[in-house]
Amino acid sequence: MVESNGNLENHVQIPKIKFTKLFINGEFVDSVSGNTFETIDPRNGEIIARISEGDKEDINLAVKAAREAFDNGPWPRLAPSERRRIMLKFADLIVENAEEIAALDAMDAGKLFAPLKNMEIPSAAETIRYYAGAADKIHGTTLKMSREIQGYTLLEPIGVVGHIIPWNFPTQMFTLKVGPALAAGCTMIVKPAEQTPLSALYYAHLAKQAGVPDGVINVVTGFGSTAGAALCSHMHVDKISFTGSTEVGRLVMQAAALSNLKPVSLELGGKSPFIVFDDVDVDKVAPLALIGILYNKGEICVAGSRLFIQEGIYDKFVKKLEAMAKTWVVGDPFDPNSHQGPQVDKKQFERVLSYIEHGKKEGAKLLTGGKALDRKGYFIEPTIFIDVEDDMKIAKEEIFGPVLSVMKFKTVEEVIKRANCTNYGTSSGCNDQCLEHCYTVSRSIRAGVIWINCYFAFDADCPYGGYKSSGFERDLGMEGLHKYFQVKSVATPIYNSPWL
């Protein structure tokens, strides 16, 4: 591991924080209580800004605005082509402001500035464009009834939606939830993670500039136990879309069930297997495996955190991993030489370090890393454990950090069984030149996404979600749009028709 000490001032202009208040009914407003909370820079533990702290009263105001906008406002009633035009303008504004938004997410979340500016934010804009293109292609079906009845279905916007988004991908999670809900004609309240509120407020500002009517997008910053809980239990919210931990996902479902039985979509934790068979090119696949765990400092639910290597290449593969990890640069996310920034906050930093200690105590062999950097901020060395056993804590539980568990296997049957021995099911990687193995694995692993000879192959058209305790329903693709509809069937008698 190499530590970067680059001077960020040489690389990018750090923007002034423009938006720190709640965004309700088209206006930035203080919270009812007047309370604020600190958003912290994980590079140094210093305060970036004080943000309005929304609570139940603020959620009530935001829901009232969204309810009025849905029941009586123009958005659900606009011609779909007009919704498309506004959404395309929104996407253009995102691209125009990509550098400033990238700086906000880099400061707030510790994410690398260059990939944010050049990949993640343009990709987020493309997600808005994808759903803008779908806005005027929403239709039901004509039914072939078995008797003299004309039947058809309507796809109707589900209503007021509560989006609760996580801190690891604040930009992409905002757009992959807001985009399809806008296209469907819904109105919404977004509750960003308290660790990373800055970009969500900026997006609300851009949406208003693009022409999204007041009340359609509301952003309430605050804490999950207060603002988030109030949103989930609100009687006038028609749906909740939540991305976060499995533990909180259960609380979201409970609140929805105990209120108005609103439908819930959940995208939760993961412990994904990354499977490597003997016949791969080690020099090509080892970098993929390393990126699979270290991308976004391991703060991604589809991280390939369980690496299964077939015994014939195990030693060679491990040596390659070790060599690459030693050249991995951990440092300031604004430094273009950095490969990895800090963990999002002190709590997550300490959580990751505690799992590393568990790995040591349980007898896993530490190959690289294993400690924090001796500097300000929440930086952790890329950490690889080898000879890990399936029943070890580091192999079973989601760590959400730069910690890889490496295990050896013999046969395809064995690795399928071990890969499935988890409560989670977000994704899996399978690397093999034998397509028979790849097809067998892809049909046998109980996970929502299987990447064959690639990893992190996301696309706006590719549905994404989990099995088991990783949640249900899908984001992205047309499946990500359809969950924001109700299906209504309409039937009327027909008489003396020459055909049915």
Side-chain angles (χ1 to χ4, degrees), residues 96-261:
E96 289 174 19
N97 292 273
E99 182 161 336
E100 186 169 357
I101 300 168
L104 295 178
D105 279 350
M107 278 192 295
D108 228 7
K111 296 171 66 70
L112 297 180
F113 173 78
L116 277 166
K117 179 185 174 183
N118 299 321
M119 297 189 321
E120 288 190 27
I121 291 169
S123 173
E126 282 304 308
T127 298
I128 297 292
R129 292 187 178 116
Y130 175 87
Y131 287 111
D136 60 355
K137 301 169 184 66
I138 295 163
H139 52 78
T141 57
T142 300
L143 306 176
K144 195 70 172 176
M145 308 288 271
S146 61
R147 51 200 177 100
E148 292 182 327
I149 296 176
Q150 170 68 40
Y152 59 93
T153 62
L154 298 171
L155 297 183
E156 298 186 344
I158 200 166
V160 175
V161 179
H163 299 298
I164 302 176
I165 61 177
W167 43 256
N168 58 331
F169 285 89
T171 280
Q172 291 184 314
M173 290 297 172
F174 186 98
T175 56
L176 68 80
K177 292 184 183 296
V178 168
L182 284 175
C186 296
T187 62
M188 62 209 74
I189 302 93
V190 179
K191 209 299 283 183
E194 57 265 28
Q195 295 89 342
T196 54
L198 296 178
S199 59
L201 294 169
Y202 200 101
Y203 286 126
H205 160 70
L206 294 183
K208 183 176 176 70
Q209 277 194 331
V212 175
D214 293 348
V216 174
I217 297 177
N218 304 273
V219 178
V220 178
T221 52
F223 295 90
S225 59
T226 51
L231 186 58
C232 293
S233 61
H234 204 289
M235 294 297 291
H236 293 148
V237 172
D238 299 306
K239 180 180 176 65
I240 294 291
S241 177
F242 172 81
T243 298
S245 71
T246 299
E247 293 74 19
V248 176
R250 292 189 175 98
L251 297 177
V252 170
M253 285 191 69
Q254 184 180 46
L258 292 175
S259 53
N260 58 346
L261 276 174

Side-chain angles (χ1 to χ4, degrees), residues 3-36:
E3 181 178 352
S4 168
N5 293 298
N7 185 354
L8 67 90
E9 309 299 338
N10 296 330
H11 306 301
V12 65
Q13 182 67 39
I14 303 300
K16 178 182 178 182
I17 307 303
K18 297 175 181 176
F19 308 110
T20 61
K21 298 182 179 183
L22 314 181
F23 187 80
I24 297 176
N25 204 24
E27 301 292 337
F28 284 102
V29 297
D30 290 319
S31 61
V32 172
S33 68
N35 291 339
T36 61

Side-chain angles (χ1 to χ4, degrees), residues 285-324:
V285 178
L288 193 63
L290 195 67
I291 289 290
I293 185 61
L294 297 183
Y295 175 61
N296 204 52
K297 56 269 185 19
E299 293 175 347
I300 180 169
C301 61
V302 292
S305 53
R306 293 186 296 150
L307 175 57
F308 292 95
I309 307 171
Q310 201 163 19
E311 57 184 0
I313 59 167
Y314 183 86
D315 292 338
K316 180 179 179 181
F317 204 99
V318 164
K319 287 180 181 178
K320 183 68 176 179
L321 284 175
E322 182 180 18
M324 291 188 301

Side-chain angles (χ1 to χ4, degrees), residues 405-426:
S405 295
V406 182
M407 293 163 277
K408 186 187 300 184
F409 74 94
K410 292 183 179 181
T411 67
V412 63
E413 294 80 11
E414 174 200 341
V415 77
I416 288 171
K417 182 178 180 179
R418 293 172 65 189
N420 278 329
C421 189
T422 175
N423 293 326
Y424 296 108
T426 52

